[in-house]
Amino acid sequence: MIGDLVALLGAGVGGLGGLGGVGGLGGGTVAGLGGPVGGQLINLSPHLPILPIVVPLVAAAIMLLLDERVRNAKAIIGSLTTLALVIVSLMLVRTITGQGADGVAQVLVYRLGDWAAPFGIVLVVDRLAALMVLVTSVLGFAAFLYSLARWAIVGPRFHSLFLLLLMGLNGAFLTGDLFNLYVFFEVLLAASYGLLLHASGRARVRAGLQYIAINLASSMVFLIGVGLMYSVTGTLNMADLAAKAATLGAGDLALYKAGFAILVVAFLTKAGMWPLSFWLPTAYSAASPPAAAIFAVMTKVGVYVTLRMLMLASGSGDATGIVELISPWLLVGGIATIVYGSVGVLSSRELPRLAAYSTLISSGTLLAAFGTADERVIGASLYYLVASTLAVGAAFLLAEPIARRKEVEAVQVVEPVFGDDFETNLRSEFEGYEVGVVIPASTALLGGAFVVCALVLIGLPPLAGFVAKLGIMSGVLAHETAVSALSWVLVSVMVFSSLAMLLAFVRKGIEAFWLTGEETTAEVGSLEAIPIGLLLAICMAITLAAGPSMRYIDLTSAELTAPTVYSEAVLGEQQ
Amino acid sequence: MELVMAIGIGVVAASGVWLMLRPRTFQVIIGLSMLTYAVNMFLLSMGRLRIGDAPVLESTTGIDPAAFSDPVPQSLVLTSIVISFSMTALFLVVLLAARGLTGTDHVDGEEVNA
């Protein structure tokens, strides 16, 4: 009977899909998808790539119609939407990996309005895009649940803004058209301005002013780059750009390379590469916790797009010379970012600032790894991307419950943590105590989560951060010919950043949990604890399941370094 | 004509950048607006500057597409204008909020005594 219901549902949805397809009303056809994908229930599967964009958009629109005081309905709609996003992204990953079990890469291409590329806009789902959408959905789900505890109602329209940010993120990861990328960048930036300013206040508005100004300027740079690239090739489709660029004459090629470099500057501003990163710590540490957690994925958009454009340009043996032009800058800039982030981490006294500088360190590591243009290194760095993004999100979410335990004065008195008073106080306080001091559950949970989060970010065994950093370092050093000096610099800078984060996190942990003083037992609700636990559990899970994860990621990097699969899927018959 | 366009875009962009680096928020916003003007003119000129090209096709057969103006840069500029002006409006609201909360229109949120 269930089977009949399922079949009925499938037939109904299929009928709707057919209507849509015939009418051409936003119908899409999929190239490269063949065979059943697990039964009649998933008749939605031809439209799977558009769902991560459309579902949060519709939900956000519905929520805008509801009055501000209607909180429960918004909470329920939002939770269901973010949960649906997680499920859809899991289905995308399953679709990508399920077919092509023989290792042949499969790429889902979704044509908007059924216009053929390169004239129409396409959504392209390959392994990397599916992975990024999955990370976004998981982090979005966790941050949204966390916000329902207390942060969502502090300011107006939080739920809608959050879902629109998720829509922008998913769109930026899935699109295959450069100007469509600009539009989704603006969608996610506009939502992020609202989220940064959420729960107002002097510090936030000051940070917001600078954040908006720098992002508007980088959008202008983006447009200049896109304009230059369009003017010489006549197309905006990413795959077609790479194909046409290989056939350009010398003068046009120079303009194209200039446009490409200008474009990459805009992405690197978003990613937080060193000279362009001074806005990041202020803005991210000022944001409210759930907003800051989802901002951790926003830096990764810049990193992702840089990688995508670079890998597409490397097709046909880097005929345009772009990879040769850009990679050294990425390597050097990434190293500088790691150093800047490490120094910043040592200078931070509060956890949000610590987490913001950790974001910079993870961005820098990723950019430097992409700058080596080595397939193994790129694979390990994608694993690092997943682990560090989830851990940074958890760190932002942890910051506020930890700060709740202590009364913080308005002016931070800079005291040495390892002062002499510490030991004598400890001894006198514990004299005469009975064995077994009761630790409140909330403190234990927060402390445990802090330790796990710190371990992943620092890169200490046995968690995912260590596996990832080890992978990157061994990939960088395992070169067939001589290892360059810059590679040695990269490895030593990565070790230095781990040391700096170790010092900073240990100091913060001691200050937050071990020092006795004026503290209250923080009340940590389950809505706050569960998302943090979920993010850290996933970090641990990808360590335990490191085999399957690395297999997926190795196939991802193999697919990236052989971009003909992407181009053929998008441009298809015209090739 | 390219020379006039290039000089115009350059001067407007340079003025915009100079204004953006000034210490008062109103100057920053005007600078951003000027920068968006420059970038929009730049995008429009990406379709090659020609005088007298018809924008609408006369028929779908028997015509030379190269005799008509390029529609794509025009749509790019439209999108960019719309997005920029809404961002400028948002920025103006944030400017007012900052003025109210910090009591000053200095970009750093406090008067810096040189």
Side-chain angles (χ1 to χ4, degrees):
Chain A
M1 191 189 127
I2 303 269
D4 292 341
L5 278 173
V6 162
L8 209 59
L9 186 66
V13 171
L16 281 172
L19 268 173
V22 162
L25 298 159
T29 56
V30 182
L33 173 64
V37 194
Q40 285 165 296
L41 176 58
I42 322 180
N43 255 333
L44 225 39
S45 61
H47 298 285
L48 213 50
I50 194 79
L51 284 183
I53 299 170
V54 165
V55 169
L57 176 63
V58 171
I62 291 174
M63 290 204 286
L64 281 176
L65 294 172
L66 300 173
D67 187 58
E68 265 313 293
R69 284 161 292 181
V70 181
R71 290 173 188 162
N72 289 332
K74 287 191 187 185
I76 293 173
I77 295 176
S79 323
L80 287 177
T81 309
T82 44
L83 187 61
L85 278 177
V86 174
I87 294 174
V88 165
S89 47
L90 281 171
M91 282 167 69
L92 270 175
V93 171
R94 190 161 154 265
T95 313
I96 292 282
T97 55
Q99 322 173 305
D102 52 347
V104 176
Q106 289 289 336
V107 176
L108 288 176
V109 174
Y110 188 85
R111 305 202 283 217
L112 298 179
D114 209 11
W115 291 100
F119 306 110
I121 294 173
V122 288
L123 298 179
V124 186
V125 188
D126 65 345
R127 283 166 180 268
L128 180 60
L131 178 66
M132 297 305 300
V133 171
L134 182 58
V135 170
T136 310
S137 316
V138 166
L139 197 50
F141 179 64
F144 191 83
L145 269 192
Y146 180 96
S147 74
L148 294 178
R150 53 176 77 191
W151 278 100
I153 56 177
V154 183
R157 307 287 175 218
F158 177 84
H159 308 91
S160 304
L161 282 171
F162 195 88
L163 287 184
L164 288 171
L165 180 62
L166 288 182
M167 168 203 167
L169 281 168
N170 290 333
F173 288 132
L174 291 174
T175 185
D177 180 284
L178 209 51
F179 205 77
N180 196 227
L181 178 67
Y182 168 72
V183 173
F184 277 120
F185 252 68
E186 292 304 314
V187 169
L188 84 94
L189 283 176
S192 74
Y193 303 155
L195 281 179
L196 179 60
L197 296 166
H198 174 70
S200 203
R202 202 174 138 193
R204 280 201 187 98
V205 174
R206 275 172 64 178
L209 200 70
Q210 297 170 10
Y211 177 69
I212 295 178
I214 188 115
N215 275 303
L216 287 179
S218 79
S219 297
M220 296 299 111
V221 175
F222 193 139
L223 282 175
I224 295 175
V226 172
L228 275 173
M229 288 169 79
Y230 172 77
S231 72
V232 290
T233 52
T235 176
L236 287 166
N237 188 292
M238 288 185 199
D240 204 28
L241 273 171
K244 290 230 166 72
T247 61
L248 287 175
D252 281 350
L253 188 58
L255 272 178
Y256 181 81
K257 283 162 93 164
F260 194 98
I262 294 172
L263 194 66
V264 167
V265 166
F267 300 146
L268 291 177
T269 314
K270 205 66 215 127
M273 197 173 83
W274 169 58
L276 307 163
S277 64
F278 297 112
W279 57 274
L280 204 149
T282 327
Y284 282 28
S285 53
S288 48
I294 199 70
F295 284 5
V297 185
M298 267 181 15
T299 41
K300 304 304 184 285
V301 179
V303 166
Y304 161 84
V305 184
T306 312
L307 180 63
R308 171 73 68 204
M309 298 298 295
L310 213 58
M311 288 297 110
L312 278 177
S314 74
S316 63
D318 191 23
T320 49
I322 280 178
V323 178
E324 199 186 311
L325 172 72
I326 305 274
S327 302
W329 288 95
L330 282 184
L331 186 50
V332 172
I335 291 174
T337 314
I338 300 174
V339 173
Y340 175 70
S342 314
V343 173
V345 139
L346 284 171
S347 77
S348 312
R349 304 294 301 219
E350 293 300 316
L351 192 49
R353 222 170 160 79
L354 200 50
Y357 279 110
S358 303
T359 318
L360 275 182
I361 293 179
S362 94
S363 269
T365 314
L366 288 169
L367 288 171
F370 297 157
T372 59
D374 183 325
E375 184 185 321
R376 265 163 315 188
V377 177
I378 291 177
S381 62
L382 288 176
Y383 187 74
Y384 179 72
L385 188 154
V386 176
S388 66
T389 309
L390 295 176
V392 165
F396 277 121
L397 294 180
L398 268 175
E400 209 246 317
I402 288 180
R404 249 182 257 160
R405 295 183 64 241
K406 293 193 179 243
E407 297 297 313
V408 180
E409 306 103 42
V411 175
Q412 272 273 288
V413 177
V414 182
E415 292 172 0
V417 170
F418 300 104
D420 283 334
D421 302 1
F422 176 59
E423 244 190 86
T424 39
N425 276 348
L426 199 58
R427 227 177 281 132
S428 63
E429 285 230 12
F430 279 87
E431 268 164 19
Y433 256 58
E434 22 346 311
V435 175
V437 179
V438 178
I439 302 177
S442 65
T443 313
L445 273 173
L446 287 177
F450 182 85
V451 167
V452 173
C453 185
L455 283 179
V456 177
L457 282 174
I458 295 168
L460 285 173
L463 293 178
F466 170 70
V467 177
K469 282 199 169 179
L470 186 63
I472 296 178
M473 287 197 265
S474 68
V476 165
L477 291 176
H479 218 261
E480 303 89 45
T481 55
V483 180
S484 71
L486 267 180
S487 303
W488 282 114
V489 172
L490 172 60
V491 170
S492 38
V493 157
M494 279 177 71
V495 173
F496 168 64
S497 74
S498 291
L499 176 64
M501 280 200 282
L502 176 67
L503 288 173
F505 272 101
V506 165
R507 179 177 64 184
K508 182 65 196 168
I510 291 178
E511 186 196 316
F513 294 105
W514 281 1
L515 286 187
T516 55
E518 298 294 319
E519 58 200 38
T520 52
T521 308
E523 283 193 23
V524 181
S526 56
L527 268 180
E528 294 169 333
I530 290 176
I532 299 174
L534 175 70
L535 289 174
L536 296 173
I538 294 178
C539 285
M540 291 197 266
I542 58 174
T543 319
L544 291 172
S549 318
M550 282 309 291
R551 225 171 299 132
Y552 180 90
I553 280 170
D554 283 337
L555 287 170
T556 310
S557 63
E559 191 181 78
L560 278 174
T561 47
T564 47
V565 181
Y566 183 104
S567 306
E568 270 163 29
V570 170
L571 301 171
E573 315 79 37
Q574 285 121 0
Q575 280 291 59
Chain B
M1 188 175 171
E2 279 84 3
L3 188 60
V4 174
M5 257 318 242
I7 293 176
I9 293 173
V11 168
V12 175
S15 318
V17 170
W18 186 83
L19 276 174
M20 274 182 72
L21 298 173
R22 301 294 290 161
R24 302 289 157 185
T25 46
F26 185 66
Q27 291 173 309
V28 172
I29 287 202
I30 298 297
L32 270 168
S33 300
M34 295 187 79
L35 194 55
T36 61
Y37 294 168
V39 171
N40 290 335
M41 285 196 293
F42 178 79
L43 270 181
L44 194 58
S45 66
M46 286 300 103
R48 304 294 184 274
L49 301 168
R50 288 200 291 247
I51 301 174
D53 276 352
V56 180
L57 294 177
E58 291 160 338
S59 74
T60 49
T61 53
I63 48 118
D64 175 25
F68 296 85
S69 64
D70 194 348
V72 175
Q74 300 173 28
S75 52
L76 299 186
V77 172
L78 255 176
T79 313
S80 152
I81 291 175
V82 167
I83 292 177
S84 314
F85 88 67
S86 57
M87 295 306 178
T88 309
L90 172 65
F91 200 16
L92 275 168
V93 173
V94 175
L95 179 160
L96 287 172
R99 170 73 178 86
L101 283 169
T102 59
T104 172
D105 69 340
H106 197 276
V107 285
D108 289 337
E110 56 197 2
E111 293 293 336
V112 177
N113 296 317

